[in-house]
Structures are given as C-alpha cells and as structure tokens.
C-alpha cells in the first residue's frame, strides 16, 4: 500500500495496511507532517490542526512512543479538513 501526501509518497519504511475496510498508518511521519500538535490524553491520540481538534483511539500501539502507534487515517484526516480517497 502506498500513502501519498500532496502527491508525494511517504518514505518506503512507513508501512500502512488495510483492516476492516480502513487504512491504518503510523502516527509518524504521516500525522507529524500534517498536524500542528499531537499528544496522548486518556488513552487516545489528540491531533490539532488549524484550530480543529480530533480525538481518536489508537488502532495499534506497540510502545509508549508515538512512532510505534497506528491510527485509522481516513476519518482522522477528514475531521482535520483534509481530502482523502
């Protein structure tokens, strides 16, 4: 699976996958490149961009580092005002 941001591919080491009809991708570098702020609060990821704040549950979390965490990116990016297809 290939993830593009503004027509540019994310690095090859960034692995996205499809499960239950949704695309899951790692928080970093995808969200770090799009969000103004990212933090963990109450077991969920909170992402802020251009005054919009979205709270999403983690899909997979392999450690305490956000670089090891995955989220369903479609709903999250749409909530931040991005176009997703």
């Amino acid at each position: 699976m290939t993830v593009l941001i503004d027509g540019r591919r994310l690095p090859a080491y960034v692995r996205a996958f499809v499960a239950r009809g949704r695309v899951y991708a790692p928080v970093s570098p995808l969200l770090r490149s799009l969000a103004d702020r990212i933090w963990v609060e109450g077991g969920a990821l909170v992402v802020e961009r251009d005054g919009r704040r979205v709270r999403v549950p983690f899909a997979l979390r392999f450690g305490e580092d956000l670089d090891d965490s995955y989220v369903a990116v479609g709903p999250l990016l749409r909530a931040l005002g991005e176009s997703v297809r």
Side-chain angles (χ1 to χ4, degrees):
M1 162 154 308
T2 302
V3 176
L4 304 172
I5 299 176
D6 295 329
R8 292 178 312 230
R9 283 182 145 190
L10 283 180
Y13 63 85
V14 177
R15 300 281 184 225
F17 63 92
V18 176
R20 297 181 304 276
R22 296 219 184 263
V23 175
Y24 293 85
V27 170
S28 184
L30 177 64
L31 293 178
R32 289 192 192 276
S33 66
L34 296 173
D36 296 329
R37 293 178 55 205
I38 300 172
W39 67 95
V40 177
E41 183 177 276
L45 181 70
V46 182
V47 182
E48 189 173 81
R49 180 174 182 213
D50 295 332
R52 294 181 189 202
R53 188 175 288 177
V54 181
R55 183 181 177 91
V56 293
F58 283 107
L60 290 173
R61 195 158 184 206
F62 298 109
E64 293 303 314
D65 192 356
L66 286 178
D67 294 344
D68 298 328
S69 302
Y70 284 73
V71 293
V73 293
L76 172 60
L77 293 177
R78 284 185 188 99
L80 291 173
E82 288 293 323
S83 173
V84 179
R85 58 183 169 100

